[in-house]
Amino acid sequence: MNQKYHQLSVEKALNLLDTNTTGLSLDETNKRLGQYGQNTLTEQKKSSLFQKFIAQFKDLMIIILMVAALIAAFAGDISDALIIFLVIVLNAAFGVFQEAKAENAIDALKEMTTPSSKVRRNNQITTIKSVNLVPGDIILLEAGDIIPADVRFISTSSLQVEEAALTGESVPVNKNITSIPEAEIPLGDRKNLGYMNTNVTYGTAEAVVIATGMNTEVGHIATMLNNVDQTTTPLQKSIVHLSKILSVLVLAIALLVFIIGILADRASILEMLLTSISLAVAAIPEGLPAIVTITLALGTQTMAKRNALIRKLPAVETLGTTEIIASDKTGTLTQNKMTVEKIYQNNTLTDANSAQIDLNNLMKAMILANDSQKSDTGLIGDPTETALIQYNLDKSNHVSQIEKDFPRVAAIPFDSERKLMSVVIKQADKPVLFIKGAVDELLQRTTRIEKNGEITVLTENDRKRILAANHDLAHKALRVLSFAYRPLDSVPNEPSSQLLEQDLIFVGMVGMIDPERPEVKEAVAQARSAGIRPLMITGDHKDTATAIAVRLGIITASQTDAVITGNDLDALSTDELNSAVDKYSVYARVAPEHKVRIVKAWQKRGKIVAMTGDGVNDAPALKTADIGVGMGITGTEVSKNASDIVLADDNFATIIVAVKEGRKVFANIQKAIQYLLSANLGEVLTLFFMTMLGWDIFAPAQILWINLVTDTFPAIALGIEKAETTIMQRKPRGAKSSFFGDGVLSSITYQGLLEGILTLGVYWIAIKYPFHNSYDLIHADALTMAFATLGLIQLFHAFNSKSIHGSIFNKNLFSNKMFNWSIVISGILLFATIFIPAFNDVFKVTPLALEQWLIVLSGGVLMIVIVEIVKLFQRKLHR
């Protein structure tokens, strides 16, 4: 919307849109519908399941495996080719599973559009589908309506609009038709404009449509969502980096072995190709994508039980790296419902919970000067009015009985100029006027005050005390309403403010606020102890945001310089914001664009940012952040679908639970990677030296069976190891964290080397001390024993991988039941290839004698013994 309609008078706005208060003609609306299009939001193009499936084959490791399968098939080794191909398809299926839920943010924005609108055309009021609205249409609005497009109000009557989903401001905004001279002001301050998908909570209005569809403010957000690049998570970056390293190593080793084999005339070109394939298969951890996916999926199940619903699997682990949690205030840190917190009566300010207001005039004024209505779903109406009723309900005051005993006979509605609302109530003897409104306006019409049931003249001292209490409440960001009453001789025929709202008796004040969620303060403290910095980003006013931030512990009362507004942000260039962003913990009165700028500025500082929110206005920032966290109860569908995680209980504390789970997931994936890569290194070294020594080597099917069966099941089970007790006392890993940190790389190296040495040692023993006399049987036994040893070593090594440096001999050794079963099942599947004759030919193995099995078992046990000794020395050196 380039034109600043808030600056224009009603007449100029109508002239600019070439319309008038009688509405457009049918011909003109058809013409404009063709010009501007329907009042809908365009969809973002999504990739099909087939496209997602094809995209899985772009990974270099997968391409290497595909080439290996083709060469094996060409060489006539169909069983190897089929097994490799099966691995490829399974990995692709897992990849599609990760991306199965496409983004639905634009769909949700579209669904939010109201289905029909009252419109004046040709001076006739009619109801039309909202999709057919055009700029220049005159629409009619009343309480309960959702505004169907962006509009300029041309007449209003006590109009209030709730704009929390767009601006983040929890209190409805009073709307009017007065033009505003300032060109650049926040959306929430444009009091003469209404926006698509905001709610009319009070009053009536007529308005002219100034923008439809993608040209509205909500459409602007939809465009921003379309243009937001998908954030690559730290886990995805680490896996991609690891894949590249492994792929280069695989190609280099395979090429080296092929060249050496050909130059040394070890075998034919085709046989050396098959040998190189075996090396490639040994080096590539085929199960890694599946293990990462399954570990993340198991993490999502754990989080779901704790009310954190994961929409995108990599988000589980990314939470563990989070350094910044930038949270929307309304509905996330606060309850998104006004609540009575302070009561001022009898010249005394008290907490609302301890105040006594049993059937006195203050209570009557709160209940009777009130337009709230009851429904099956609760109270309906202005949030401040529903808060007054809810307070009395919580106090067990008989609201319905009071409304029945004291019926309303006349009323003077609220308007934004006098800032008051009055009702005339019928009583047994004579009628009474009850009034509520702004303190300063009401005091101007007040001459007396009620204290402890006695009415006295309102003195200057009384007035000062009231204003001081009002100032104190306002400084703490409470919304203050004052109350008064006046006995009347009779009910006037035409009640008016001039006639009735004079000579009032002041009876009290009420301070209300959208309070913080009770569990959030503790969650903020936990975040800080975990090295995470909490921020508040809100569309609400600076004073309100500051007060809530202090109450939650996000800032201290003295840190007023840690608060910045949207206007201040506009004055900063991108570079200035990037360099100064860490000075601020509270961002108030901000627009959707500001939220995205703030998130990007923190990301520019190398921080991993989680952004929480529940409104339409939060969606672009949720999508830009490394982790978008939506609210399941109060959140709009737009914010949920733009999020990576949705909190089913809208509980900020659940984020901290999710962070802990994310850290645990990373630690467990790290264990699985250590286990897999040390196993694969052992396989590569074994094959490499077998080739160099001229020994028989493992077939691709044997290596794949070990990689997929012996390795994968225990690695998956490592993914559900319990979190270490100190996991939330550590600093976040950050964006540059690596799977190879904390001694993992050195462990992979020496453990892989040890696996290779032990396997080659068993092969050498089998050749040196044969069980048979036949050359073919001796070498077949040796290869089978090496195959069984390598598989058994890796099963034993899985126990080593439960801790990087800690001993496995503790009370938790067998605590993970899934891990225990994975070892048993993997062992059965490994030994089935040897014990079941039907599998012997497929896997190129022979039955073994008891003495040979004892040698194999010795190799497996030595893996645990030697690693435990190394860990013992590591712990001593560390201390």
Side-chain angles (χ1 to χ4, degrees):
M1 196 194 306
N2 295 324
Q3 179 60 49
K4 308 294 184 184
Y5 279 97
H6 64 273
Q7 290 184 285
L8 304 180
S9 66
V10 170
E11 292 76 16
K12 287 184 178 178
L14 291 171
N15 289 337
L16 184 64
L17 290 161
D18 194 18
T19 188
N20 56 59
T21 55
T22 62
L24 300 170
S25 66
L26 185 60
D27 289 342
E28 182 62 23
T29 56
N30 289 335
K31 177 183 172 184
R32 295 190 185 191
L33 198 59
Q35 179 183 353
Y36 296 103
Q38 287 195 319
N39 182 32
T40 57
L41 301 168
T42 57
E43 296 185 37
Q44 190 175 18
K45 190 176 179 181
K46 301 181 180 72
S47 56
S48 66
L49 278 176
F50 179 72
Q51 289 172 319
K52 289 185 177 69
F53 185 77
I54 295 299
Q56 304 305 313
F57 296 92
K58 295 177 182 177
D59 185 86
L60 186 55
M61 286 202 300
I62 299 298
I63 293 170
I64 292 170
L65 282 176
M66 289 171 68
V67 172
L70 289 173
I71 294 172
F74 179 74
D77 204 336
I78 302 300
S79 61
D80 283 349
L82 286 175
I83 292 173
I84 296 171
F85 182 72
L86 181 63
V87 171
I88 294 168
V89 173
L90 283 172
N91 281 338
F94 275 121
V96 172
F97 169 72
Q98 290 188 64
E99 300 177 20
K101 287 190 176 182
E103 289 294 336
N104 292 320
I106 304 303
D107 289 340
L109 282 164
K110 184 178 179 181
E111 288 167 9
M112 286 177 63
T113 308
T114 50
S116 62
S117 303
K118 280 185 182 177
V119 61
R120 182 181 286 118
R121 289 179 174 175
N122 285 331
N123 210 21
Q124 298 289 320
I125 296 175
T126 183
T127 300
I128 66 166
K129 290 183 178 180
S130 295
V131 295
N132 294 325
L133 283 174
V134 295
D137 262 328
I138 306 298
I139 62 171
L140 286 70
L141 299 166
E142 60 185 23
D145 286 347
I146 297 175
I147 299 178
D150 285 3
V151 299
R152 168 66 161 92
F153 296 112
I154 57 178
S155 70
T156 60
S157 176
S158 307
L159 183 67
Q160 294 183 359
V161 179
E162 193 265 308
E163 299 178 331
L166 187 65
T167 66
E169 188 169 358
S170 53
V171 178
V173 179
N174 296 312
K175 297 290 186 175
N176 56 50
I177 63 171
T178 307
S179 57
I180 302 168
E182 293 87 0
E184 301 297 334
I185 57 171
L187 294 181
D189 292 334
R190 299 177 190 180
K191 301 296 177 68
N192 53 20
L193 300 186
Y195 302 105
M196 185 187 227
N197 297 325
T198 57
N199 306 307
V200 178
T201 61
Y202 195 87
T204 59
E206 288 192 22
V208 58
V209 175
I210 58 176
T212 58
M214 295 300 286
N215 294 319
T216 62
E217 291 297 334
V218 171
H220 175 50
I221 292 173
T223 302
M224 290 169 66
L225 286 174
N226 277 329
N227 294 333
V228 170
D229 294 329
Q230 285 290 339
T231 307
T232 304
T233 70
L235 176 65
Q236 290 169 322
K237 290 175 184 174
S238 297
I239 295 295
V240 168
H241 181 64
L242 181 58
S243 297
K244 287 179 179 176
I245 292 172
L246 290 175
S247 299
V248 171
L249 287 174
V250 166
L251 292 173
I253 293 169
L255 184 62
L256 178 64
V257 169
F258 180 78
I259 292 171
I260 292 173
I262 295 298
L263 292 176
D265 198 23
R266 303 258 176 181
S268 67
I269 291 177
L270 190 58
E271 287 174 327
M272 286 312 303
L273 272 176
L274 288 174
T275 300
S276 299
I277 289 172
S278 295
L279 266 171
V281 170
I284 296 174
E286 294 85 5
L288 182 58
I291 287 160
V292 170
T293 299
I294 292 169
T295 303
L296 293 174
L298 292 171
T300 67
Q301 292 178 12
T302 303
M303 289 189 183
K305 291 174 185 175
R306 303 294 296 273
N307 292 312
L309 310 178
I310 308 300
R311 295 187 65 253
K312 299 168 186 174
L313 284 181
V316 179
E317 182 276 334
T318 310
L319 266 174
T321 67
T322 300
E323 298 165 280
I324 304 290
I325 297 179
S327 177
D328 178 49
K329 178 186 76 68
T330 307
T332 307
L333 299 174
T334 64
Q335 299 175 26
N336 198 20
K337 62 177 182 180
M338 296 300 289
T339 303
V340 176
E341 190 164 281
K342 296 287 184 180
I343 298 286
Y344 181 88
Q345 62 178 345
N346 305 322
N347 272 354
T348 304
L349 185 65
T350 58
D351 288 334
N353 290 332
S354 59
Q356 297 296 321
I357 56 166
D358 298 330
L359 203 59
N360 60 22
N361 284 314
L362 175 58
M363 185 189 74
K364 288 182 182 178
M366 291 167 69
I367 295 172
L368 300 172
N370 196 311
D371 289 327
S372 296
Q373 296 180 352
K374 301 177 187 66
S375 73
D376 294 337
T377 57
L379 296 169
I380 299 173
D382 180 276
T384 57
E385 292 193 329
T386 59
L388 297 174
I389 298 297
Q390 189 61 53
Y391 173 70
N392 280 282
L393 290 172
D394 293 340
K395 281 280 190 178
S396 299
N397 294 327
H398 302 291
V399 174
S400 298
Q401 190 62 44
I402 291 169
E403 291 173 337
K404 183 178 179 182
D405 293 344
F406 303 100
R408 182 188 298 189
V409 292
I412 307 172
F414 175 89
D415 70 55
S416 56
E417 290 185 11
R418 77 183 210 289
K419 298 179 181 177
L420 299 170
M421 180 255 192
S422 300
V423 294
V424 178
I425 299 300
K426 184 180 179 181
Q427 292 195 144
D429 47 357
K430 59 171 65 176
V432 177
L433 176 84
F434 285 103
I435 182 169
K436 75 169 187 292
V439 178
D440 51 352
E441 292 291 335
L442 188 136
L443 279 180
Q444 291 178 19
R445 303 161 190 257
T446 302
T447 57
R448 292 169 290 172
I449 184 172
E450 182 179 288
K451 302 177 191 175
N452 299 311
E454 295 185 6
I455 300 171
T456 60
V457 174
L458 182 74
T459 65
E460 188 60 30
N461 187 48
D462 290 329
R463 191 180 298 274
K464 286 181 179 178
R465 293 182 69 171
I466 292 167
L467 291 173
N470 177 46
H471 179 268
D472 180 51
L473 294 173
H475 182 70
K476 294 175 181 175
L478 272 69
R479 183 177 174 87
V480 183
L481 284 177
S482 58
F483 298 85
Y485 71 100
R486 175 191 172 190
L488 302 175
D489 294 326
S490 61
V491 180
N493 293 327
E494 295 183 9
S496 66
S497 175
Q498 293 81 2
L499 180 65
L500 296 180
E501 294 177 342
Q502 306 294 333
D503 193 27
L504 303 175
I505 303 169
F506 182 87
V507 71
M509 291 187 300
V510 170
M512 290 173 282
I513 197 168
D514 176 13
E516 69 274 19
R517 292 177 175 273
E519 69 282 346
V520 169
K521 187 171 185 178
E522 176 61 25
V524 168
Q526 286 181 17
R528 288 193 180 282
S529 70
I532 301 168
R533 181 171 176 175
L535 309 176
M536 178 192 291
I537 303 180
T538 178
D540 221 333
H541 290 280
K542 182 177 181 179
D543 289 344
T544 305
T546 303
I548 293 293
V550 170
R551 287 163 66 148
L552 290 174
I554 293 174
I555 60 173
T556 63
S558 61
Q559 288 181 302
T560 53
D561 57 346
V563 184
I564 188 171
T565 65
N567 284 337
D568 295 331
L569 284 172
D570 287 332
L572 297 176
S573 67
T574 299
D575 289 340
E576 287 172 334
L577 178 59
N578 291 345
S579 62
V581 70
D582 60 346
K583 295 179 183 177
Y584 307 109
S585 295
V586 178
Y587 304 82
R589 212 65 179 146
V590 296
E593 302 93 316
H594 294 136
K595 296 183 182 186
V596 174
R597 281 190 72 198
I598 294 163
V599 170
K600 285 185 174 179
W602 279 105
Q603 289 173 330
K604 196 74 174 177
R605 298 295 289 265
K607 302 295 184 182
I608 300 296
V609 181
M611 168 76 192
T612 77
D614 64 345
V616 175
N617 60 319
D618 298 319
L622 288 170
K623 200 170 181 183
T624 302
D626 299 281
I627 289 289
V629 184
M631 300 293 127
I633 299 172
T634 58
T636 59
E637 286 304 308
V638 184
S639 63
K640 291 177 196 175
N641 288 318
S643 301
D644 304 291
I645 295 174
V646 176
L647 304 183
D649 58 357
D650 284 15
N651 189 337
F652 182 85
T654 303
I655 300 171
I656 307 304
V657 174
V659 167
K660 181 179 179 180
E661 186 65 24
R663 291 187 176 189
K664 185 191 83 172
V665 164
F666 178 87
N668 288 347
I669 290 176
Q670 193 175 41
K671 292 172 187 175
I673 285 176
Q674 177 196 333
Y675 171 62
L676 286 174
L677 294 190
S678 58
N680 283 42
L681 179 59
E683 293 165 16
V684 168
L685 291 173
T686 301
L687 282 168
F688 180 78
F689 285 106
M690 279 179 164
T691 305
M692 295 301 100
L693 294 169
W695 294 354
D696 292 339
I697 68 166
F698 298 128
Q702 289 176 318
I703 294 297
L704 273 173
W705 193 251
I706 288 176
N707 281 1
L708 288 178
V709 174
T710 312
D711 291 359
T712 303
F713 292 150
I716 291 170
L718 285 170
I720 59 167
E721 285 288 303
K722 292 180 180 178
E724 296 174 47
T725 54
T726 59
I727 202 163
M728 288 301 284
Q729 275 71 59
R730 304 170 189 168
K731 289 184 178 180
R733 298 189 320 277
K736 295 181 179 179
S737 61
S738 168
F739 284 120
F740 299 113
D742 196 28
V744 171
L745 183 59
S746 61
S747 296
I748 289 171
T749 305
Y750 89 80
Q751 289 164 10
L753 187 62
L754 179 59
E755 282 192 31
I757 291 170
L758 289 172
T759 305
L760 291 168
V762 169
Y763 188 100
W764 179 82
I765 291 171
I767 296 293
K768 190 75 174 174
Y769 305 100
F771 193 75
H772 295 99
N773 295 320
S774 164
Y775 177 88
D776 290 338
L777 284 176
I778 290 171
H779 284 80
D781 282 354
L783 195 62
T784 302
M785 288 173 67
F787 169 68
T789 302
L790 185 59
L792 191 62
I793 282 173
Q794 292 182 11
L795 292 180
F796 282 131
H797 182 47
F799 285 96
N800 290 329
S801 301
K802 278 173 163 276
S803 175
I804 296 171
H805 300 300
S807 172
I808 65 170
F809 295 111
N810 57 55
K811 62 182 180 181
N812 295 321
L813 179 60
F814 298 108
S815 61
N816 184 344
K817 291 181 180 179
M818 182 177 173
F819 180 85
N820 300 338
W821 279 109
S822 73
I823 297 296
V824 171
I825 293 169
S826 295
I828 291 170
L829 291 172
L830 171 67
F831 298 128
T833 61
I834 300 171
F835 284 113
I836 299 175
F839 289 157
N840 290 172
D841 290 338
V842 175
F843 290 97
K844 302 174 180 64
V845 294
T846 58
L848 298 176
L850 179 61
E851 295 92 327
Q852 292 171 311
W853 277 116
L854 288 174
I855 296 170
V856 169
L857 181 62
S858 299
V861 171
L862 277 172
M863 185 69 194
I864 284 184
V865 173
I866 296 171
V867 170
E868 276 294 304
I869 292 170
V870 173
K871 284 183 179 181
L872 178 63
F873 281 108
Q874 285 178 332
R875 291 194 296 273
K876 286 187 174 181
L877 285 171
H878 180 70
R879 283 197 292 267

